[in-house]
Amino acid sequence: MSFERIIKWAEVAMTPEDQTSSLSDGKGEVFRRRSLHEELTEAIRELIVVGDLLPGTRVPEKELCALYSVSRTPLREALKVLAIDGLVNLEPNRGAWVSKITKEDIDDVFPVMGALEALSGELACKHISDAEIGNVRRLHREMLKYFEQRDLEGYFAVNQQIHEAILSAARNKTLTAQYNSLAARVRRARYVANMTMDRWTQATEEHEQIMTFLERRDGARLSAILKKHLENKLETVRQWLDDNEEAEDAKAP
């Protein structure tokens, strides 16, 4: 794992203000900010998604407690949430383990996410404002700069913002909830899979089409390219899994 990244998350993911403060709407009603275990859940989820906690490895509970200055109670609450998300397996007397990425899992998750992406594009074209399109265009230009610089981490970060902006423009809370329930598993598979330069170029070209159809508010074509975009991601992850299997077979005596 990358302890530098873990320490970074420990410093920025859970500020004292986020853990304890609240906001008022001016009418006496108080809106509490995210709880400690919610902040911790998000921090550990990100470590798993970007591969700092690798699939099939044990979650270092003691180290995480020390780094985040928390007790075992909020950590274990966070792990329960991540288990529901499918990112962690909780094993009696063995602790928590980062779940492995399998063909069965991605074949279950990716088609569903593809359908959700397609619907988000169709609905976004009906509801998105000119200002929101301008924001996506800005993000798109930023993503292209990361592509030109061959900065995959920066590219992935902005890429995710683009998909989330389209989802937000769909104006559908049920869709958003279902999307968010699967997003971490899809992001993790994408992060750990080795993306070739050819595939990265193809993905960038697909995003050019996404931008074009969004600006035209062409829901049918945007829906189709978003679904195809995820299908191509699935093939990349499948190839990565196949390559790993071959490497393991080659090591076998």
Side-chain angles (χ1 to χ4, degrees), residues 19-188:
Q19 295 172 24
T20 61
S21 66
S22 61
L23 298 172
S24 171
D25 66 352
K27 300 177 182 178
E29 185 175 356
V30 173
F31 298 92
R32 296 191 63 81
R33 294 187 181 180
R34 292 194 297 179
S35 67
L36 174 60
H37 100 78
E38 288 173 328
E39 296 286 349
L40 188 59
T41 300
E42 180 59 28
I44 299 173
R45 178 185 288 115
E46 194 67 14
L47 294 175
I48 293 172
V49 164
V50 301
D52 289 330
L53 294 177
L54 293 172
T57 61
R58 186 169 184 171
V59 177
E61 296 184 37
K62 185 177 180 180
E63 294 173 5
L64 292 175
C65 285
L67 284 166
Y68 290 113
S69 300
V70 297
S71 68
R72 287 288 180 92
T73 299
L75 178 64
R76 287 176 176 171
E77 289 299 314
L79 293 175
K80 289 178 183 178
V81 174
L82 295 173
I84 294 172
D85 288 348
L87 297 175
V88 167
N89 294 324
L90 302 177
E91 301 183 12
N93 303 319
R94 296 191 68 233
W97 295 73
V98 181
S99 62
K100 295 180 179 180
I101 299 172
T102 66
K103 289 181 181 179
E104 292 78 12
D105 183 51
I106 64 171
D107 284 342
D108 279 347
V109 173
F110 272 72
V112 177
M113 185 58 109
L116 297 176
E117 287 268 15
L119 180 58
S120 74
E122 182 181 347
L123 294 178
C125 287
K126 295 179 180 179
H127 303 294
I128 196 166
S129 67
D130 291 343
E132 286 173 308
I133 289 178
N135 180 56
V136 176
R137 167 57 70 182
R138 177 187 62 78
L139 291 170
H140 180 72
R141 287 196 295 265
E142 185 178 351
M143 187 189 70
L144 292 180
K145 289 180 181 178
Y146 283 121
F147 173 71
E148 292 165 359
Q149 296 165 2
R150 302 301 186 260
D151 183 342
L152 189 58
E153 185 172 348
Y155 176 92
F156 275 154
V158 180
N159 180 294
Q160 185 65 23
Q161 292 180 54
I162 291 172
H163 286 275
E164 290 174 351
I166 294 173
L167 176 67
S168 176
R171 312 280 196 269
N172 189 299
K173 293 180 180 178
T174 301
L175 173 60
T176 298
Q178 295 302 315
Y179 182 101
N180 289 337
S181 70
L182 299 176
R185 291 161 71 184
V186 171
R187 287 179 59 214
R188 178 171 73 133

Side-chain angles (χ1 to χ4, degrees), residues 106 110 230-240 242:
I106 64 171
F110 272 72
L230 206 68
E231 288 173 352
N232 289 335
K233 287 181 183 179
L234 173 58
E235 289 306 313
T236 299
V237 178
R238 277 186 181 144
Q239 185 60 56
W240 173 77
D242 287 340

Side-chain angles (χ1 to χ4, degrees), residues 161-217:
Q161 292 180 54
I162 291 172
H163 286 275
E164 290 174 351
I166 294 173
L167 176 67
S168 176
R171 312 280 196 269
N172 189 299
K173 293 180 180 178
T174 301
L175 173 60
T176 298
Q178 295 302 315
Y179 182 101
N180 289 337
S181 70
L182 299 176
R185 291 161 71 184
V186 171
R187 287 179 59 214
R188 178 171 73 133
R190 181 192 63 185
Y191 261 103
V192 300
N194 295 321
M195 185 162 64
T196 66
M197 194 62 221
D198 285 345
R199 171 55 197 147
W200 193 1
T201 301
Q202 181 188 25
T204 304
E205 291 171 351
E206 289 164 2
H207 261 273
E208 290 280 13
Q209 295 180 63
I210 289 169
M211 191 69 244
T212 297
F213 296 141
L214 182 65
E215 288 180 324
R216 293 177 183 173
R217 291 180 169 84

